[in-house]
Amino acid sequence: MTRTDEKVRYLPEGKGETLTPSSAASGVENVLRILEGRWKLVILFHLFGGKVLRFSDLERAIPAISQKMLIQQLRQMEADGIVRRIVHHQVPPKVEYCLTDWGQALCPALDALLKWAAQKEPAEGPLGS
């Protein structure tokens, strides 16, 4: 009799790859490479919740970012599979952005990071003493 996990091709919990300090560090490096950049997390927060925003909406939502940098960050996230670019062929051209399912799955992880950061006690004085 074959096991269910062999039929559907997933590993049941507890049978996944055992992480070592080296493999965990490598995984963290890969994640940080995908999310590196001053604006990527800001863009992600604007797109969370299934929002579909036009390029101009993102420009208005993040006034400190240049048009060139916004384009660059969106292209990188699209190439990494986090953001989906939707082009409507009309005049004037209309381009919208939304998160892929994988990109939307980042929401709980980033929420946990925000909660973790909020737990930090403020430093007492300029050197934390």
Side-chain angles (χ1 to χ4, degrees), residues 9-63:
R9 295 190 177 160
Y10 72 89
L11 290 176
E13 277 188 52
K15 285 199 171 184
E17 177 186 334
T18 303
L19 290 177
T20 64
S22 178
S23 66
S26 176
V28 168
E29 282 182 47
N30 291 335
V31 169
L32 291 177
R33 183 199 54 78
I34 291 171
L35 297 176
E36 76 181 342
R38 179 176 177 188
W39 300 105
K40 285 184 181 176
L41 294 177
V42 176
I43 294 166
L44 283 173
F45 277 106
H46 284 286
L47 293 174
F48 278 142
K51 293 180 188 169
V52 178
L53 296 176
R54 294 179 70 169
F55 182 83
S56 58
D57 294 333
L58 285 168
E59 271 186 310
R60 280 191 294 276
I62 313 168

Side-chain angles (χ1 to χ4, degrees), residues 22-126:
S22 178
S23 66
S26 176
V28 168
E29 282 182 47
N30 291 335
V31 169
L32 291 177
R33 183 199 54 78
I34 291 171
L35 297 176
E36 76 181 342
R38 179 176 177 188
W39 300 105
K40 285 184 181 176
L41 294 177
V42 176
I43 294 166
L44 283 173
F45 277 106
H46 284 286
L47 293 174
F48 278 142
K51 293 180 188 169
V52 178
L53 296 176
R54 294 179 70 169
F55 182 83
S56 58
D57 294 333
L58 285 168
E59 271 186 310
R60 280 191 294 276
I62 313 168
I65 192 171
S66 70
Q67 192 176 63
K68 177 184 174 186
M69 184 57 67
L70 180 58
I71 291 168
Q72 182 181 359
Q73 300 284 278
L74 286 167
R75 283 184 181 161
Q76 287 174 0
M77 289 193 295
E78 182 184 10
D80 288 330
I82 297 171
V83 169
R84 182 172 38 254
R85 182 175 187 252
I86 305 162
V87 179
H88 300 279
H89 298 287
Q90 64 185 44
V91 177
K94 180 180 175 184
V95 178
E96 295 177 322
Y97 294 90
C98 63
L99 293 177
T100 61
D101 291 340
W102 190 58
Q104 188 65 41
L106 272 170
C107 188
L110 294 179
D111 192 41
L113 279 175
L114 286 174
K115 288 177 184 173
W116 171 78
Q119 293 175 357
K120 183 179 185 293
E121 294 181 19
E124 299 175 24

